[in-house]
Amino acid sequence: MTLAQTNPVSTPLKGWFGYAALLALGALLYVLCSYYPASLPFWMPWEFSWVEYLATALTLAWFFRGLRALPLGERPSLWRSASFVLGVVSIYAVLQTHIDYYAQHMFFVHRWAHFVLHHAGAFLIAIGVSGPVLRAGMPDFLKPLLDARPVRRAMDFLQHPAVAPALFVGLLYFWLIPSIHTVVMLNRDLYDLMNWTMAINGIMFWSLVLDPRSKPPARLSPLMRGLMILLIELPQMVLGAILSLSMTDFYPVYTICGRALDMTALNDQHYGGLIIWLPGTLTSFAAMIIVLVNMRLNEEREEREKASG
């Protein structure tokens, strides 16, 4: 007789206690951030957000729950799991620690934060290939939503090979249009919308490109993935070069709000441009290497299957 047969009620109850604990922790963070903001350490939220907290907490909870639920042979490797967790934590860090304060008052910190949201953190999450793990760990009533036709059609559109690179570069440029950037940085709701779109788009794009499977079941062939990487690389280099070499201050909003660090406006902008230019380009190079490695591994796997068959 299995454990599930002997005690069928324990697992649901334990799950509800877990959700209650997450809510209690969130409530504690909310109270501390609301009433004692000046006394909190650097790693605590600058401005607590229930949405960002719950997104992170539930993702990690479902991930570890899914790991326990899946058979050993279906779990991702340890390094992939570590990559996924590190990616989620890094995104939380730039959104819900005092880093967010500096990102609102320094352009180059803002660009580092968006590099994590759109590149590094999303990249690590994509490498983790933990979609099946999250699905196994989430409540059963949510799973049909993932299979709903509108959700599938939206995913097909957003991850279309013509749409995905245009959206990836387009969002980067759109949020940095000076007139739009000024309004966004002065409006908390728009600021949150900007961060969410960058993070979600980054995860969707890199998950599409870094899918370790061959086509099918993967959406794209290695050739198409490599082409998409090249399509996003040049526009990022151009934008980074413009911002890092220009002698015009395109973002006076940081002067208006007051810079948190003693730095001139142009130096701040130049460092921000370099972050777009260099780390962004290196991320594309890393993605190209991973695509080539995955292609070779899939070819070797197919050869072994043919030999054994």
Side-chain angles (χ1 to χ4, degrees):
M1 183 175 293
T2 64
L3 180 61
Q5 291 173 323
T6 57
N7 191 9
V9 183
S10 61
T11 300
L13 283 178
K14 186 176 180 180
W16 284 114
F17 283 134
Y19 291 128
L22 291 179
L23 288 175
L25 177 59
L28 176 61
L29 291 174
Y30 172 77
V31 171
L32 291 175
C33 294
S34 299
Y35 295 99
Y36 309 100
S39 304
L40 299 180
F42 186 86
W43 50 268
M44 290 285 282
W46 169 249
E47 290 181 293
F48 179 77
S49 167
W50 272 108
V51 175
E52 291 165 2
Y53 167 76
L54 288 176
T56 304
L58 290 175
T59 296
L60 292 177
W62 291 344
F63 174 77
F64 289 111
R65 186 169 182 261
L67 281 180
R68 294 193 299 269
L70 286 176
L72 188 61
E74 298 181 16
R75 299 175 188 175
S77 62
L78 179 60
W79 73 269
R80 287 192 182 275
S81 296
S83 174
F84 177 83
V85 172
L86 181 59
V88 174
V89 171
S90 66
I91 288 178
Y92 178 83
V94 299
L95 296 179
Q96 284 288 274
T97 68
H98 281 49
I99 293 174
D100 186 49
Y101 167 78
Y102 287 94
Q104 295 178 40
H105 292 82
M106 297 296 299
F107 180 72
F108 87 93
V109 180
H110 180 272
R111 296 322 310 156
W112 268 123
H114 272 215
F115 172 72
V116 173
L117 295 176
H118 206 214
H119 287 72
F123 194 95
L124 291 170
I125 289 174
I127 291 177
V129 290
S130 294
V133 181
L134 292 175
R135 185 183 180 95
M138 68 174 51
D140 291 337
F141 72 88
L142 290 178
K143 295 175 183 178
L145 296 178
L146 301 178
D147 300 323
R149 183 174 297 178
V151 174
R152 291 296 182 184
R153 287 183 175 177
M155 291 293 293
D156 290 341
F157 174 75
L158 294 174
Q159 291 193 316
H160 188 278
V163 175
L167 192 60
F168 187 88
V169 174
L171 282 174
L172 177 64
Y173 271 74
F174 175 78
W175 292 121
L176 286 177
I177 295 174
S179 58
I180 293 176
H181 192 79
T182 298
V183 174
V184 168
M185 297 305 293
L186 297 175
N187 185 302
R188 184 66 199 188
D189 292 334
L190 291 177
Y191 179 78
D192 289 340
L193 176 64
M194 173 183 62
N195 288 337
W196 274 101
T197 55
M198 293 296 281
I200 293 173
N201 175 251
I203 294 170
M204 291 182 64
F205 179 83
W206 294 119
S207 296
L208 180 65
V209 171
L210 301 178
D211 190 336
R213 302 171 299 175
S214 58
K215 179 186 178 182
R219 290 175 180 265
L220 303 178
S221 66
L223 179 61
M224 185 60 68
R225 299 182 207 192
L227 178 59
M228 288 175 60
I229 294 172
L230 294 177
L231 287 175
I232 69 166
E233 186 174 354
L234 182 58
Q236 290 181 94
M237 296 173 64
V238 171
L239 178 60
I242 291 173
L243 294 179
S244 61
L245 299 176
S246 175
M247 299 307 294
T248 300
D249 177 17
F250 293 114
Y251 305 106
V253 64
Y254 294 93
T255 301
I256 296 171
C257 295
R259 283 182 165 79
L261 301 175
D262 186 14
M263 184 180 295
T264 66
L266 283 179
N267 282 343
D268 190 11
Q269 180 176 291
H270 291 168
Y271 292 147
L274 287 173
I275 291 168
I276 297 174
W277 189 352
L278 300 180
T281 301
L282 290 176
T283 305
S284 297
F285 286 157
M288 186 69 76
I289 292 172
I290 292 175
V291 168
L292 294 175
V293 170
N294 286 335
M295 180 180 68
R296 182 55 187 163
L297 291 176
N298 288 325
E299 289 175 350
E300 292 176 352
R301 186 180 301 110
E302 292 174 0
E303 290 173 359
R304 289 195 300 268
E305 291 175 354
K306 290 180 179 178
S308 62

